[in-house]
Amino acid sequence: MIYREMSQKALTSPKEGNHENMGALKPVLSRDCREATGSYNPKPPPDTGMYVGRFLVVGPGIGGYRVSSRSFPNRQVIERDGTLTISPTPDAPETDNPYIAYNCVRSVTPGDATDRTAGTELAVVGNGSHVDPITEKLSLGYPARDALASSLLALDFEKDDYDTPRIAGVVGAETAHVGTVRRDALVVREVAEPTLVATYERDDPEPWKLASTTADGVARELYESDFEHAVCAAGVTVDATDGDGEGATPGGVTIKTAIENGT
């Protein structure tokens, strides 16, 4: 098993209605181990018309997120002080659902304790309120793997009718991590290529052929992908080669974001 991937440990979820006793952790082979043992079978290309719910794609230097929804389609991405937020549209019906609005893309300057990324801005991408504690932990110096794992484990999967997984990614100019917490597992991996994880069907991180290289392109590409019920999308790039350009941060990294609301 490979320790750099948190997928070696899976969270055995509690029984229905009992979220206090988290149960035992069981090992899950990483992709590298499964390839070595001949047990790795990559999933087929996405089916046209498949509904996967919310999903994200992250890789070194690039990331994106899309809301797909059958129940709450009246949503949009808005930008507030550099943070991208999923928000109800003005004509959306009132709801007390706690999973409708949240920050989906944030940028952060890691604290000095963060390995390989100290002082180098990162982008955090995710499908819920866990984006905020992940960002905070990175600012305190947590490595990306630990910030993802601890925040996802603390908040756990969403307590809705579908036990919807929480998904998240951390994007650096040269690094990327992806994570998800489902009812049956906590998975966090460092990835070297664009990787997709969704809330349904495609709920285990898998390579994704991303054609776009810009924030605008990623947002549009994810929005226009064949998965059903597109609502809105966001894209982000983290570039260390244009530290003096538009969007440049004090750490010499350029972070650019983009919004696709389908209008």
Side-chain angles (χ1 to χ4, degrees):
M1 298 182 189
I2 299 175
Y3 188 71
R4 66 179 175 81
E5 294 190 359
M6 286 296 293
S7 57
Q8 64 166 346
K9 289 187 177 180
L11 177 63
T12 300
S13 62
K15 294 182 179 179
E16 187 74 34
N18 180 10
H19 300 295
E20 295 182 356
N21 299 319
M22 300 308 295
L25 292 174
K26 60 181 180 180
V28 174
L29 286 177
S30 71
R31 175 184 172 183
D32 294 342
C33 288
R34 285 179 280 152
E35 286 177 333
T37 60
S39 62
Y40 176 67
N41 294 307
K43 294 181 180 179
D47 299 321
T48 300
M50 176 184 290
Y51 180 68
V52 299
R54 291 165 282 170
F55 68 92
L56 60 82
V57 177
V58 296
I62 199 161
Y65 173 67
R66 193 183 97 172
V67 175
S68 310
S69 179
R70 294 180 290 206
S71 303
F72 299 98
N74 302 90
R75 283 184 281 177
Q76 62 187 342
V77 186
I78 61 174
E79 190 272 338
R80 298 184 297 186
D81 299 324
T83 293
L84 301 188
T85 301
I86 304 298
S87 175
T89 57
D91 60 345
E94 291 188 8
T95 178
D96 59 359
N97 188 309
Y99 305 119
I100 296 301
Y102 50 87
N103 295 325
C104 67
V105 177
R106 291 187 63 181
S107 60
V108 59
T109 301
D112 292 339
T114 305
D115 58 339
R116 294 185 296 163
T117 56
T120 302
E121 282 70 20
L122 303 171
V124 181
V125 183
N127 73 325
S129 59
H130 51 284
V131 167
D132 296 326
I134 292 170
T135 302
E136 180 180 357
K137 289 179 185 299
L138 289 169
S139 72
L140 294 174
Y142 281 60
R145 182 199 66 177
D146 297 356
L148 283 166
S150 57
S151 299
L152 290 172
L153 182 60
L155 289 173
D156 208 1
F157 57 87
E158 295 179 355
K159 305 308 186 292
D160 58 9
D161 293 338
Y162 309 102
D163 294 339
T164 301
R166 292 182 186 268
I167 56 176
V170 176
V171 179
E174 299 179 353
T175 62
H177 291 74
V178 65
T180 180
V181 60
R182 312 186 301 257
R183 170 168 277 281
D184 66 329
L186 167 67
V187 181
V188 176
R189 297 175 185 163
E190 182 172 8
V191 297
E193 60 185 330
T195 300
L196 175 143
V197 66
T199 54
Y200 312 123
E201 301 294 338
R202 306 276 174 174
D203 61 358
D204 193 51
E206 61 181 271
W208 176 264
K209 188 175 182 180
L210 189 65
S212 302
T213 59
T214 65
D216 285 330
V218 172
R220 190 175 309 110
E221 183 175 343
L222 296 192
Y223 183 85
E224 294 177 350
S225 70
D226 287 336
F227 297 132
E228 287 185 341
H229 299 288
V231 173
C232 54
V236 61
T237 55
V238 182
D239 187 359
T241 64
D242 187 22
D244 296 325
E246 182 180 354
T249 63
V253 170
T254 300
I255 295 182
K256 296 181 179 180
T257 60
I259 291 170
E260 178 57 69
N261 283 320
T263 55

